[in-house]
Amino acid sequence: MRVSRLLTGALGSVALALSFVGAATVTAVPAAADPCGFYETSADAYYNHCTSDGSRVVVKVEVALARDYERCVAPGRTWLGSAGDIQGAYYVGRTC
């Protein structure tokens, strides 16, 4: 009986220590960079033009319940609108 209690206590201590290590690992992970191309957050839609040459490109923006449109975007992240309004965006193959 005494050995069983010691074993149970030791296992509990190990589990507690591992849970602290896991929590520290999760909080130490840096935030991921914005992905290239179209992406959404919980509230907003963006197009991230990933380039090192400074080019500006035309993307087609697909809009819910409205007419789609083309937009010229610079390098980096461009806000397109509310995630509920924008369905997608993609590079059309030309610069602007």
Side-chain angles (χ1 to χ4, degrees):
M1 182 75 110
R2 181 180 161 106
V3 172
S4 175
R5 285 187 188 175
L6 287 174
L7 184 58
T8 302
L11 289 175
S13 296
V14 169
L16 183 61
L18 288 175
S19 70
F20 283 126
V21 169
T25 302
V26 169
T27 57
V29 174
D34 296 334
C36 296
F38 175 76
Y39 71 96
E40 294 178 324
T41 64
S42 60
D44 296 301
Y46 297 93
Y47 188 88
N48 189 21
H49 175 40
C50 299
T51 185
S52 60
D53 67 5
S55 64
R56 299 170 66 93
V57 297
V58 178
V59 296
K60 182 159 188 174
V61 181
E62 299 172 329
V63 185
L65 304 175
R67 186 171 260 177
D68 296 346
Y69 63 91
E70 291 185 349
R71 180 168 182 180
C72 181
V73 298
R77 182 174 73 168
T78 300
W79 182 77
L80 300 175
S82 169
D85 295 335
I86 307 300
Q87 295 178 323
Y90 59 91
Y91 171 57
V92 298
R94 66 182 193 272
T95 59
C96 50

